Amino acid sequence: MLAVFASGNGSNFEALAGAGRSGALGGTIAALFSDRPDSRACECARALGIETVCPPVGRFRTRIEDERTWLDALHARRVGCVLLAGFMRRIHATLLDAFPERILNIHPSLLPAFPGLDAIARAFDHGARVTGCTVHLVDAGLDQGAIVAQAAIEVREGDTLEALEARMHEAEHALYPSAVRRFLTEPWRREGRRLVFESRAGEKHRA
Ligand code: GAR
Protein backbone atom coordinates (compact mmCIF):
# COMPACT_ATOMS: atom_id res chain seq x y z
CA MET A 1 0.00 0.00 0.00
CA LEU A 2 1.12 3.54 -0.83
CA ALA A 3 0.40 6.84 0.89
CA VAL A 4 0.80 10.23 -0.79
CA PHE A 5 1.68 13.25 1.35
CA ALA A 6 0.63 16.62 -0.16
CA SER A 7 0.17 20.16 1.16
CA GLY A 8 -1.08 22.22 -1.74
CA ASN A 9 -2.47 22.06 -5.20
CA GLY A 10 -2.21 18.31 -5.50
CA SER A 11 -1.60 18.06 -9.23
CA ASN A 12 1.14 15.46 -8.70
CA PHE A 13 -1.16 13.56 -6.36
CA GLU A 14 -3.79 13.58 -9.12
CA ALA A 15 -1.27 12.22 -11.62
CA LEU A 16 -0.26 9.47 -9.19
CA ALA A 17 -3.89 8.65 -8.44
CA GLY A 18 -4.71 8.49 -12.15
CA ALA A 19 -1.82 6.10 -12.73
CA GLY A 20 -2.93 4.06 -9.73
CA ARG A 21 -6.42 3.74 -11.13
CA SER A 22 -5.16 2.44 -14.46
CA GLY A 23 -2.72 -0.01 -12.85
CA ALA A 24 0.31 1.96 -14.05
CA LEU A 25 1.75 2.86 -10.64
CA GLY A 26 2.92 -0.54 -9.44
CA GLY A 27 0.91 -0.16 -6.23
CA THR A 28 -2.34 1.07 -4.71
CA ILE A 29 -2.78 4.44 -3.02
CA ALA A 30 -4.38 3.73 0.35
CA ALA A 31 -4.76 7.35 1.41
CA LEU A 32 -3.77 10.97 0.91
CA PHE A 33 -2.10 12.41 4.00
CA SER A 34 -2.07 16.18 4.33
CA ASP A 35 -1.03 18.87 6.79
CA ARG A 36 -3.63 21.16 5.19
CA PRO A 37 -7.21 19.85 5.44
CA ASP A 38 -8.36 22.83 3.34
CA SER A 39 -5.93 22.17 0.48
CA ARG A 40 -6.93 21.45 -3.10
CA ALA A 41 -5.07 18.13 -2.74
CA CYS A 42 -7.60 17.06 -0.08
CA GLU A 43 -10.51 18.20 -2.26
CA CYS A 44 -9.11 16.09 -5.09
CA ALA A 45 -8.77 13.03 -2.89
CA ARG A 46 -12.35 13.37 -1.69
CA ALA A 47 -13.55 13.79 -5.28
CA LEU A 48 -11.61 10.66 -6.28
CA GLY A 49 -12.94 8.65 -3.34
CA ILE A 50 -9.47 8.27 -1.82
CA GLU A 51 -9.33 8.44 1.97
CA THR A 52 -7.99 11.75 3.28
CA VAL A 53 -6.02 11.65 6.53
CA CYS A 54 -4.92 14.82 8.34
CA PRO A 55 -3.15 13.89 11.58
CA PRO A 56 -2.07 16.72 13.91
CA VAL A 57 1.02 18.68 12.88
CA GLY A 58 1.76 20.47 16.17
CA ARG A 59 3.33 23.85 16.66
CA PHE A 60 5.88 24.05 13.87
CA ARG A 61 5.52 25.25 10.29
CA THR A 62 8.24 23.25 8.54
CA ARG A 63 8.02 19.90 10.31
CA ILE A 64 5.57 17.55 12.02
CA GLU A 65 5.97 18.00 15.75
CA ASP A 66 5.13 14.39 16.68
CA GLU A 67 5.61 12.09 13.71
CA ARG A 68 4.38 9.08 15.73
CA THR A 69 0.75 10.07 15.10
CA TRP A 70 1.45 10.02 11.35
CA LEU A 71 3.36 6.75 11.68
CA ASP A 72 0.48 5.09 13.54
CA ALA A 73 -1.95 6.20 10.82
CA LEU A 74 0.38 4.83 8.12
CA HIS A 75 0.78 1.50 9.91
CA ALA A 76 -2.99 1.24 10.42
CA ARG A 77 -3.36 1.36 6.61
CA ARG A 78 -0.49 -1.08 6.01
CA VAL A 79 1.45 1.53 4.05
CA GLY A 80 4.82 0.28 2.83
CA CYS A 81 5.94 3.25 0.78
CA VAL A 82 5.32 7.01 1.08
CA LEU A 83 5.24 9.40 -1.89
CA LEU A 84 5.79 13.09 -1.12
CA ALA A 85 4.03 15.26 -3.70
CA GLY A 86 4.37 18.92 -2.84
CA PHE A 87 4.54 18.16 0.90
CA MET A 88 6.03 21.27 2.41
CA ARG A 89 7.34 19.88 5.70
CA ARG A 90 10.68 18.18 6.28
CA ILE A 91 10.52 14.51 7.30
CA HIS A 92 12.49 13.51 10.37
CA ALA A 93 13.85 10.43 12.14
CA THR A 94 10.63 8.77 13.31
CA LEU A 95 9.25 8.44 9.78
CA LEU A 96 12.65 8.04 8.07
CA ASP A 97 13.64 5.17 10.38
CA ALA A 98 10.26 3.47 9.92
CA PHE A 99 10.51 3.69 6.10
CA PRO A 100 14.18 3.32 5.17
CA GLU A 101 14.56 3.90 1.42
CA ARG A 102 10.76 3.80 1.19
CA ILE A 103 9.96 7.51 1.02
CA LEU A 104 10.14 9.22 -2.38
CA ASN A 105 9.85 12.88 -3.30
CA ILE A 106 9.50 14.88 -6.49
CA HIS A 107 11.45 18.12 -6.72
CA PRO A 108 11.20 20.72 -9.52
CA SER A 109 14.87 20.99 -10.44
CA LEU A 110 17.69 18.80 -11.68
CA LEU A 111 19.15 17.99 -8.28
CA PRO A 112 21.70 18.60 -6.88
CA ALA A 113 21.05 22.02 -8.45
CA PHE A 114 18.49 24.24 -6.71
CA PRO A 115 17.38 22.21 -3.68
CA GLY A 116 14.84 23.79 -1.32
CA LEU A 117 12.05 26.26 -1.96
CA ASP A 118 11.19 28.14 -5.18
CA ALA A 119 13.40 25.90 -7.29
CA ILE A 120 11.75 26.71 -10.63
CA ALA A 121 12.06 30.46 -10.15
CA ARG A 122 15.62 30.19 -8.86
CA ALA A 123 16.71 28.17 -11.91
CA PHE A 124 14.93 30.65 -14.21
CA ASP A 125 16.41 33.72 -12.48
CA HIS A 126 19.85 32.09 -12.51
CA GLY A 127 19.67 31.86 -16.27
CA ALA A 128 19.86 28.07 -16.44
CA ARG A 129 19.43 26.84 -20.02
CA VAL A 130 18.25 23.42 -18.90
CA THR A 131 16.30 22.59 -15.76
CA GLY A 132 14.00 19.71 -14.97
CA CYS A 133 12.53 17.55 -12.26
CA THR A 134 13.91 14.84 -10.02
CA VAL A 135 12.36 11.90 -8.20
CA HIS A 136 14.59 10.93 -5.29
CA LEU A 137 14.70 8.97 -2.07
CA VAL A 138 14.12 11.06 1.02
CA ASP A 139 16.81 11.07 3.69
CA ALA A 140 17.70 13.46 6.49
CA GLY A 141 19.24 16.01 4.10
CA LEU A 142 17.27 18.63 2.19
CA ASP A 143 16.55 17.16 -1.27
CA GLN A 144 19.76 15.12 -0.92
CA GLY A 145 18.66 11.49 -1.24
CA ALA A 146 19.57 9.05 -4.03
CA ILE A 147 18.17 9.95 -7.44
CA VAL A 148 15.58 7.55 -8.89
CA ALA A 149 14.69 9.40 -12.12
CA GLN A 150 15.08 12.80 -13.77
CA ALA A 151 13.59 14.59 -16.76
CA ALA A 152 15.23 17.60 -18.40
CA ILE A 153 13.36 20.70 -19.57
CA GLU A 154 14.90 23.27 -21.87
CA VAL A 155 14.55 26.91 -20.88
CA ARG A 156 13.65 28.58 -24.16
CA GLU A 157 14.59 32.03 -25.44
CA GLY A 158 11.74 34.34 -24.49
CA ASP A 159 10.42 31.91 -21.89
CA THR A 160 8.40 33.26 -19.01
CA LEU A 161 8.41 31.80 -15.52
CA GLU A 162 4.75 30.90 -15.94
CA ALA A 163 5.39 29.01 -19.18
CA LEU A 164 8.35 27.19 -17.64
CA GLU A 165 6.26 26.27 -14.59
CA ALA A 166 3.54 24.84 -16.82
CA ARG A 167 6.06 22.66 -18.70
CA MET A 168 7.61 21.63 -15.38
CA HIS A 169 4.29 20.39 -14.03
CA GLU A 170 3.57 18.51 -17.24
CA ALA A 171 6.99 16.83 -17.01
CA GLU A 172 6.46 16.02 -13.33
CA HIS A 173 3.10 14.41 -13.99
CA ALA A 174 4.71 12.07 -16.52
CA LEU A 175 7.91 11.39 -14.56
CA TYR A 176 6.61 10.69 -11.06
CA PRO A 177 4.20 7.82 -11.84
CA SER A 178 6.69 6.12 -14.16
CA ALA A 179 9.50 6.49 -11.61
CA VAL A 180 7.32 5.07 -8.83
CA ARG A 181 6.37 2.13 -11.00
CA ARG A 182 9.97 1.41 -11.84
CA PHE A 183 11.09 1.79 -8.23
CA LEU A 184 8.38 -0.57 -6.98
CA THR A 185 8.53 -3.19 -9.69
CA GLU A 186 12.15 -3.48 -10.84
CA PRO A 187 15.05 -4.74 -8.76
CA TRP A 188 17.55 -2.09 -7.76
CA ARG A 189 20.56 -1.78 -5.51
CA ARG A 190 22.62 0.99 -3.98
CA GLU A 191 26.18 1.71 -5.06
CA GLY A 192 27.23 4.46 -2.71
CA ARG A 193 25.06 7.47 -3.55
CA ARG A 194 23.81 5.83 -6.74
CA LEU A 195 20.56 3.92 -7.03
CA VAL A 196 21.15 1.38 -9.77
CA PHE A 197 18.34 -0.49 -11.50
CA GLU A 198 19.23 -4.03 -12.49
CA SER A 199 17.43 -3.76 -15.84
CA ARG A 200 18.79 -1.60 -18.64
CA ALA A 201 17.60 2.02 -18.81
CA GLY A 202 16.16 1.65 -22.31
CA GLU A 203 13.64 -0.88 -21.03
CA LYS A 204 12.12 1.36 -18.41
CA HIS A 205 9.15 2.83 -20.26
CA ARG A 206 8.14 -0.21 -22.27
CA ALA A 207 5.72 -1.63 -19.73
C1 GAR B 1 5.62 20.50 -7.45
O1 GAR B 1 6.19 21.29 -8.47
C2 GAR B 1 6.69 19.79 -6.65
O2 GAR B 1 7.79 19.40 -7.42
C3 GAR B 1 7.07 20.85 -5.68
O3 GAR B 1 5.86 21.44 -5.29
C4 GAR B 1 4.95 21.38 -6.40
C5 GAR B 1 3.65 20.80 -5.90
O4 GAR B 1 2.68 20.89 -6.90
N1 GAR B 1 7.75 20.32 -4.55
C6 GAR B 1 8.77 20.93 -3.96
O5 GAR B 1 9.17 22.03 -4.28
C7 GAR B 1 9.37 20.15 -2.81
N2 GAR B 1 10.65 20.69 -2.45
P1 GAR B 1 1.33 20.07 -6.75
O6 GAR B 1 0.79 20.36 -5.35
O7 GAR B 1 0.44 20.60 -7.83
O8 GAR B 1 1.67 18.62 -6.92
Side-chain angles (χ1 to χ4, degrees):
M1 283 290 178
L2 307 170
V4 179
F5 284 17
S7 301
N9 205 29
S11 69
N12 279 286
F13 162 66
E14 268 184 296
L16 293 166
R21 284 246 158 126
S22 63
L25 195 58
T28 303
I29 297 175
L32 172 77
F33 281 64
S34 183
D35 55 336
R36 299 270 312 274
D38 57 344
S39 62
R40 183 179 170 278
C42 288
E43 276 174 33
C44 276
R46 288 189 278 267
L48 292 168
I50 293 176
E51 186 191 7
T52 307
V53 187
C54 300
V57 287
R59 290 167 295 174
F60 307 124
R61 199 172 50 83
T62 58
R63 60 177 293 167
I64 297 164
E65 185 170 0
D66 181 6
E67 289 185 339
R68 283 171 306 178
T69 55
W70 288 59
L71 183 58
D72 291 346
L74 290 165
H75 282 154
R77 289 159 183 82
R78 303 193 177 286
V79 169
C81 185
V82 175
L83 309 175
L84 308 186
F87 187 66
M88 292 315 200
R89 288 174 193 261
R90 293 279 296 275
I91 303 295
H92 291 277
T94 300
L95 287 173
L96 290 174
D97 292 349
F99 293 94
E101 297 184 321
R102 300 302 285 174
I103 305 179
L104 297 183
N105 181 42
I106 187 152
H107 182 77
S109 75
L110 290 178
L111 291 172
F114 306 110
L117 294 175
D118 299 323
I120 308 173
R122 285 190 292 124
F124 183 75
D125 291 344
H126 191 86
R129 298 289 182 168
V130 178
T131 183
C133 44
T134 303
V135 176
H136 64 94
L137 294 180
V138 175
D139 63 15
L142 176 64
D143 300 325
Q144 298 287 309
I147 291 170
V148 177
Q150 292 185 304
I153 300 169
E154 186 187 355
V155 183
R156 299 172 185 157
E157 295 300 332
D159 234 343
T160 61
L161 177 59
E162 293 69 30
L164 181 61
E165 282 172 343
R167 297 205 306 289
M168 178 69 75
H169 294 311
E170 201 180 313
E172 288 186 323
H173 301 162
L175 182 71
Y176 206 2
S178 71
V180 170
R181 181 193 175 99
R182 190 173 197 210
F183 177 79
L184 294 176
T185 61
E186 289 184 24
W188 54 268
R189 65 181 186 278
R190 291 294 299 271
E191 286 183 4
R193 267 205 57 88
R194 302 176 68 227
L195 187 152
V196 180
F197 286 100
E198 309 280 350
S199 59
R200 283 175 295 138
E203 294 172 350
K204 72 179 170 183
H205 292 304
R206 276 189 208 155

